[in-house]
Amino acid sequence: MTKEAIDMPQKGGFSFDLCKRNDMLLQNGLKMPSFLKTGTTIVGLIFQDGVILGADTRATEGPIVADKNCEKIHYIAPNIYCCGAGTAADTEAVTDMISSQLTLHRYHTGRESRVVTALSLLKSHLFNYQGHVSAALVLGGVDVTGPHLHTIYPHGSTDTLPYATMGSGSLAAMAIFESKYREGLSREEGVALVAEAIRSGIFNDLGSGSNVDICVITKGQKEYLRNHMTPNPRTYVSEKGYSFSKKTELLSTKITPLRETVVVIEGGDAMEE
Amino acid sequence: MSIFEYNGSALVAMVGKNCFAIASDRRLGVQLQTIATDFQRIYNIHPKLFIGLSGLASDAQTLYQRLVFRHKLYELREERNMKPETFASLVSAIQYEKRFGPYFCQPVIAGLGDDDKPFICTMDAIGAKELAKDFVVAGTASESLYGACEAMFKPDMEAEELFETISQALLSSVDRDCLSGWGGHVYVVTPMEVTEKILKGRMD
C-alpha cells in the first residue's frame, strides 16, 4: 500500500500539498479568494486592579460584512485573554493552539500560567512563519507577577505597554487613550474608557462595527462582558415582515422520516402469561 | 476571474424553531458555459447533519470525500454520530491545515445538535468559523443572499414558513447572479423528518 493511498490524520502542522496546483491556477489567470478578515478595533489597558481588554464585533470579507457579531476576545488561560486582528482563521487557530499548549504546561508544572509564557509561545510561532500567519494580537492577563499587557505583530515583534490598540481602528482608539488615560484608573473608569475607545473605532473606521465586547481580568477573577454595549441596533425592522402567500413551485418532494411513528392500538389483546 | 467564480454556486442555511433549512442552486458551469443542471452541492453526513460546499467543484468533492472518511472512522470509534459543533471544528481544522495552499471551498454546515437544537455555521476557504443564530450564506450569489436573507428572515419560524422564506430568498438572489441558478434544492430538517424539495426556477 503506497503512502498516498492512506489519508490518515496527519501529525499536525501545515500541509503544502495543494500549493503547486494553486500556483498553476494563479498563473492561468485565476485570482486567489479573499479570506475572512477582522478589520477591527482591539484595545487593552492596565487599571489599578488588573487588565481590561476590548474589541468590536465585525468580521469582513472584502467590503462585505460577513459576521455582525463575531467574538474577537479569545480565551488563552483562566487568567489570560487575547484579542485578535487580521486574518480570522489565523487568529483563531493561533490562540487555540497556544491555549492547548498552556493547558498541558499547567498540568506539567502544577502552576497558574504566566502572561509572558503565552507571549513567548505566540511570538516564536509567528516569527517562524515570517509574517505569513497574519495575526496581530493584544494579549493581557493577571498572574502571580502582576497585571501584564502586550501587543504582538504578525512578524513576531512584541511591545509591553500600559495601554495598547491594534487593528484598522487603532488610530481612532489610540486618540481616545492618549487624551484620557492616566495610571490608577478604577474599574468603572477603565471600562468606560475602553468602551469609548472601541466606540470611536466603530463609528470612525469602516473595518470595525457593531457591538463592544469587554473582558475585565483581575487577580483570581475574570469577567467576560459579551456585547457590553450595542450602539448599532437594527432600527428598520418592518412590523409585518415578509409573508409569501403564493407557494413556491416545486418539481419534486421527498420526505424521509427520522423517527419511527409508533401506532397505539386501543384495547389490544392482552399478552399471554 | 476569481477561482470561486469558475463553477458558480449559491448556498444558504437558516434556523427556525427546532428546525433548520439548507438550500443550494443546481448549476454546474465552466466559467460562462453551463455543463450540468442537477449538480448536488448539499451532502448528508448523517441523518441530522448536512454540509453544503460552494466554490471550486473539484475541491468540494474532494473535501466531501475526506470528511465522509473521517466521519466513518469517528462512528466506528465512538459508536455514535458526530455532533454538528464537533463536525464544524473538524472541517475547520482540515481547511486550516492547508492554510498556504487552500481548498477553494466555502462550506455551510447545518445540523440538529443535542436536544434537537439547530446549529448552522459557515467558513471561509481557510477554516475561519462563523457561527450565526439566524442565517449563513456562501457562493457567488452571496452578496444578494445577504441582502435577501437580512430582509426576509424572521426568528422562530415553523418548518412550512421557513421553507417558503429560504426558497424565496434563494430564488430571488440567484436570479441576480449569472453563475448560479437553474432551480433550487432545499432540505428542511425537523426532529421528526427530513423533507427534500426541488424548486422550479428560471432556467437562464
Side-chain angles (χ1 to χ4, degrees):
Chain A
M1 249 200 271
T2 58
K3 216 164 171 218
E4 288 87 80
I6 305 172
D7 185 24
M8 286 307 289
Q10 271 141 306
K11 285 215 160 101
F14 292 123
S15 120
F16 297 93
D17 299 347
L18 296 177
C19 284
K20 220 171 166 187
R21 174 202 75 156
N22 291 1
D23 271 341
M24 181 272 294
L25 286 169
L26 275 176
Q27 267 162 28
N28 284 349
L30 292 164
K31 292 200 307 268
M32 278 287 274
S34 65
F35 301 136
L36 198 76
K37 288 199 175 298
T38 53
T40 306
T41 307
I42 47 174
V43 305
L45 64 71
I46 297 190
F47 71 113
Q48 72 189 27
D49 301 324
V51 173
I52 306 179
L53 298 173
D56 73 308
T57 60
R58 173 181 284 183
T60 54
E61 203 162 355
I64 305 291
V65 176
D67 195 348
K68 291 185 286 185
N69 205 359
C70 68
E71 280 188 37
K72 298 185 192 178
I73 305 185
H74 307 284
Y75 168 88
I76 302 273
N79 57 326
I80 307 173
Y81 274 73
C82 184
C83 308
T87 304
D90 288 333
T91 56
E92 274 178 38
V94 119
T95 47
D96 277 348
M97 192 180 77
I98 265 69
S99 170
S100 326
Q101 285 180 1
L102 277 183
T103 311
L104 288 171
H105 191 250
R106 275 201 297 283
Y107 283 129
H108 199 75
T109 58
R111 291 190 173 93
E112 193 185 51
S113 298
R114 299 193 186 190
V115 183
V116 285
T117 320
L119 181 72
S120 302
L121 290 169
L122 284 165
K123 75 192 293 188
S124 47
H125 179 81
L126 292 175
F127 181 73
N128 266 340
Y129 288 97
Q130 289 290 294
H132 289 285
V133 174
S134 172
L137 309 166
V138 170
L139 176 71
V142 179
D143 55 32
V144 285
T145 49
H148 296 276
L149 180 68
H150 304 279
T151 53
I152 308 168
Y153 289 81
H155 286 263
S157 61
T158 59
D159 287 315
T160 306
L161 300 160
Y163 56 95
T165 66
M166 292 283 262
S168 56
S170 61
L171 269 63
M174 190 50 101
I176 301 289
F177 274 172
E178 287 288 9
S179 52
K180 295 189 181 173
Y181 180 83
R182 56 182 170 76
E183 287 192 13
L185 287 164
S186 73
R187 190 186 179 279
E188 287 73 28
E189 289 170 333
V191 168
L193 184 58
V194 164
E196 201 183 337
I198 299 287
R199 274 204 320 280
S200 120
I202 286 174
F203 292 121
N204 298 106
D205 173 44
L206 299 179
S208 319
S210 296
N211 315 118
V212 180
D213 278 355
I214 294 199
C215 187
V216 184
I217 310 173
T218 52
K219 192 162 183 56
Q221 178 178 296
K222 63 145 193 299
E223 247 186 284
Y224 188 51
L225 306 166
R226 169 90 171 128
N227 288 1
H228 171 72
M229 262 192 169
T230 47
N232 292 304
R234 213 176 140 185
T235 50
Y236 53 88
V237 184
S238 128
E239 289 294 319
K240 285 184 304 177
Y242 275 78
S243 56
F244 304 103
S245 49
K246 237 176 135 185
K247 295 269 174 192
T248 318
E249 278 186 76
L250 296 172
L251 288 175
S252 75
T253 311
K254 184 172 132 185
I255 303 182
T256 319
L258 286 177
R259 286 206 196 135
E260 283 178 31
T261 41
V262 178
V263 177
V264 177
I265 308 169
E266 289 292 327
D269 294 336
M271 276 175 63
E272 291 180 11
E273 292 290 316
Chain B
M1 202 183 228
S2 156
I3 189 69
F4 275 119
E5 290 166 14
Y6 190 74
N7 293 127
S9 52
L11 272 174
V12 56
M14 277 191 188
V15 164
K17 195 170 178 150
N18 294 332
C19 62
F20 69 84
I22 182 168
S24 77
D25 72 319
R26 306 187 79 209
R27 176 185 181 272
L28 176 70
V30 169
Q31 293 183 311
L32 293 175
Q33 183 187 45
T34 307
I35 55 175
T37 58
D38 56 358
F39 189 63
Q40 174 93 349
R41 275 197 178 88
I42 300 178
Y43 300 102
N44 190 346
I45 302 288
H46 66 75
K48 287 185 182 176
L49 179 60
F50 286 77
I51 180 166
L53 293 160
S54 73
L56 193 64
S58 43
D59 276 353
Q61 288 181 335
T62 307
L63 190 58
Y64 164 67
Q65 286 164 4
R66 283 188 72 181
L67 291 170
V68 157
F69 171 79
R70 296 291 295 268
H71 183 257
K72 282 185 181 170
L73 274 183
Y74 185 92
E75 251 186 294
L76 285 170
R77 285 196 196 111
E78 303 255 334
E79 291 178 1
R80 64 181 177 88
N81 285 327
M82 234 192 230
K83 282 193 258 201
E85 293 85 359
T86 317
F87 186 70
S89 293
L90 174 69
V91 180
S92 177
I94 288 179
Q95 285 186 300
Y96 193 72
E97 202 181 8
K98 302 261 188 276
R99 164 69 172 89
F100 298 114
Y103 286 120
F104 295 122
C105 215
Q106 272 180 312
V108 166
I109 297 166
L112 287 176
D114 291 338
D115 298 330
D116 292 328
K117 193 160 175 289
F119 169 86
I120 51 171
C121 92
T122 186
M123 282 164 220
D124 70 348
I126 47 174
K129 266 187 293 196
E130 193 199 307
L131 310 166
K133 296 199 172 59
D134 40 17
F135 58 86
V136 291
V137 305
T140 48
S142 63
E143 294 181 28
S144 304
L145 278 165
Y146 273 124
C149 292
E150 191 74 57
M152 296 181 190
F153 179 81
K154 283 193 299 244
D156 286 332
M157 281 186 281
E158 295 289 341
E160 280 295 314
E161 203 188 346
L162 184 66
F163 167 72
E164 284 299 322
T165 308
I166 203 176
S167 311
Q168 291 294 324
L170 181 74
L171 290 174
S172 49
S173 304
V174 303
D175 284 349
R176 281 288 183 177
D177 178 32
C178 312
L179 298 166
S180 48
W182 267 266
H185 205 146
V186 187
Y187 289 84
V188 181
V189 181
T190 64
M192 294 301 294
E193 63 189 6
V194 173
T195 312
E196 179 189 340
K197 292 186 181 162
I198 302 198
L199 308 174
K200 181 171 171 195
R202 283 173 63 137
M203 305 301 260
D204 63 355

